[in-house]
Amino acid sequence: LVSHCNHFCASISSLRLYSGGDDGLVCSWDLSSRSLEACADAHSSAVTCVKPIGSSHVVSTSRDSSIQLLSHGGKAGLQSLQSLHTTEPIDTAIVLHGFCIGAGESGIEALLR
């Protein structure tokens, strides 16, 4: 994680840790083997939040004003399924009943799962 970024956010789901940082990457780590599983170049600016959805999806938000829904496809790694671009940087995400809600300084955006 040290080479991943200076600032990072992380979230744990089962035996997997998801991280995101200043480099715009969203990565998954296998906690049992303590190894990197996959990375996706999901954002063009710092990742501000990562939230797992079940065992195979993760939502990330960024200072690049986007929300990304990524799928963890095993050997295929992390792949973008859906993205939403807003006018302001997104600071955090909340996942409720299949919806991802991203919040920034100027309001709330929703990304349907």
Side-chain angles (χ1 to χ4, degrees):
L1 283 175
V2 174
S3 63
H4 185 34
C5 52
N6 295 324
H7 153 85
F8 82 100
C9 51
S11 190
I12 297 174
S13 175
S14 298
L15 291 175
R16 186 173 284 145
L17 172 95
Y18 290 101
S19 65
D22 288 340
D23 53 10
L25 295 176
V26 174
C27 298
S28 64
W29 305 79
D30 183 316
L31 294 177
S32 60
S33 66
R34 297 182 180 184
S35 62
L36 176 65
E37 288 184 316
C39 284
D41 191 8
H43 299 280
S44 61
S45 189
V47 177
T48 54
C49 182
V50 291
K51 298 276 184 177
I53 304 173
S55 62
S56 61
H57 294 87
V58 64
V59 169
S60 61
T61 63
S62 172
R63 296 204 190 288
D64 69 2
S65 305
S66 74
I67 302 170
Q68 296 283 337
L69 174 62
L70 302 153
S71 172
H72 194 283
K75 291 182 180 182
L78 286 167
Q79 298 178 335
S80 180
L81 294 178
Q82 190 175 5
S83 63
L84 174 69
H85 294 275
T86 66
T87 58
E88 296 291 327
I90 304 293
D91 298 321
T92 192
I94 300 167
V95 178
L96 297 169
H97 304 289
F99 285 92
C100 171
I101 302 166
E105 290 180 15
S106 64
I108 295 174
E109 299 288 343
L111 177 67
L112 182 63
R113 184 172 88 119

